[in-house]
């Protein structure tokens, strides 16, 4: 069977490395809908952080850069909005926030879950559902979440400005709330804190 047929044992490794923030953290991302589709659940499990899934993202990034965008935005094989290469998408419209649900071939992201919890703690309704491509262009603000991106504004999609085409007040407020939490500023609610002993 060789290595590809191996069933175990499974090893687990975690490494840490400092990652600086890119210009997009302040200026926002310019996304373009990719000609590549998001890897589908019937092909590979997109919900898990599997290194093989990153090749899908890499193909999208190369395509996006060729088109003059910062990052790709993938659709599912059914034409619904999925996510970017390694980060989840949120849209703000008419006082509400919505994001593709976990049945839209997205990663079940820890950062996505954190953003949803923070927004709901602030009394905002967050709807997880399928999202049509047209809705991208109607958003008043948009942002992506991920381990590397944290909370980053999206200022345009397919060359069309989101809102005023600059990071908006909603996203800036959420960015600050997120950074205060993860960097230990202010008084974080106890349920966000885990004691670490050396």
């Amino acid at each position: 069977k060789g290595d590809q047929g191996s069933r175990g044992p499974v090893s687990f490794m975690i490494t840490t490395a400092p990652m600086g923030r890119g210009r997009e953290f302040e200026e926002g991302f310019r996304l373009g809908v990719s000609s590549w589709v998001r890897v589908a659940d019937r092909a590979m499990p997109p919900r898990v952080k599997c290194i093989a899934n990153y090749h899908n993202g890499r193909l999208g990034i190369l395509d996006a850069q060729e088109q003059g965008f910062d990052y790709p935005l993938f659709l599912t094989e059914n034409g619904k909005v999925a996510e970017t290469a390694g980060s989840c998408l949120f849209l703000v419209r008419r006082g509400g926030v919505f994001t593709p649900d976990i049945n839209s071939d997205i990663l079940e992201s820890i950062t996505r879950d954190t953003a949803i919890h923070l927004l709901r703690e602030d009394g905002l309704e967050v709807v997880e559902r399928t999202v049509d491509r047209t809705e991208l262009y109607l958003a008043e603000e948009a942002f992506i979440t991920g381990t590397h991106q944290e909370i980053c504004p999206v200022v345009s999609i397919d060359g069309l400005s989101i809102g005023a085409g600059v990071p908006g007040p909603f996203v800036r407020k959420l960015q600050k709330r997120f950074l205060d939490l993860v960097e230990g500023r202010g008084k974080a609610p106890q349920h966000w804190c885990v004691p670490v002993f050396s």
Side-chain angles (χ1 to χ4, degrees), residues 6 18 43 52 59 71 89 92 103 108 125 142 172 192 194 197:
S6 174
L59 293 171
Y71 232 39
L89 178 74
V92 181
N103 296 314
E108 289 195 22
E125 181 184 14
R172 285 297 190 221
W192 285 106
V194 176
F197 303 98

Side-chain angles (χ1 to χ4, degrees), residues 6-177:
S6 174
R7 295 178 181 266
V10 175
S11 60
F12 183 74
M13 180 180 74
I14 296 175
T15 62
T16 60
M19 296 185 294
R21 294 185 179 113
R23 66 164 178 79
E24 295 88 1
F25 189 81
E26 289 300 326
E27 298 175 16
F29 274 92
R30 296 171 301 121
L31 303 181
V33 172
S34 183
S35 60
W36 294 96
V37 298
R38 175 67 175 145
V39 62
D41 189 70
R42 64 183 183 163
M44 294 176 68
R47 297 182 191 203
V48 299
K49 209 170 183 88
C50 168
I51 196 69
N53 288 345
Y54 280 82
H55 187 59
N56 184 223
R58 180 176 181 277
L59 293 171
I61 289 171
L62 294 173
D63 180 47
Q65 290 172 345
E66 282 294 314
Q67 303 301 320
F69 301 115
D70 298 317
Y71 232 39
L73 182 57
F74 292 107
L75 303 181
T76 68
E77 58 183 4
N78 296 322
K80 300 300 183 181
V81 176
E83 61 180 17
T84 76
S87 50
C88 297
L89 178 74
F90 287 77
L91 302 168
V92 181
R93 188 172 183 223
R94 295 178 177 166
V97 183
F98 56 102
T99 185
D101 59 21
I102 59 172
N103 296 314
S104 296
D105 296 333
I106 67 166
L107 174 71
E108 289 195 22
S109 160
I110 294 170
T111 315
R112 174 185 180 271
D113 187 61
T114 301
I116 290 170
H117 275 83
L118 289 174
L119 292 165
R120 287 178 176 162
E121 280 184 0
D122 285 346
L124 294 162
E125 181 184 14
V126 181
V127 179
E128 301 174 70
R129 62 172 175 79
T130 56
V131 176
D132 290 324
R133 181 173 180 172
T134 307
E135 294 182 89
L136 298 171
Y137 315 122
L138 300 174
E140 296 157 13
E141 291 191 47
F143 60 96
I144 58 175
T145 66
T147 302
H148 185 247
Q149 289 80 14
E150 299 175 296
I151 308 276
C152 272
V154 172
V155 294
S156 69
I157 300 176
D158 288 342
L160 301 172
S161 293
I162 301 299
V166 295
F170 184 94
V171 177
R172 285 297 190 221
K173 180 180 176 185
L174 180 61
Q175 258 185 338
K176 182 180 184 315
R177 181 116 154 70

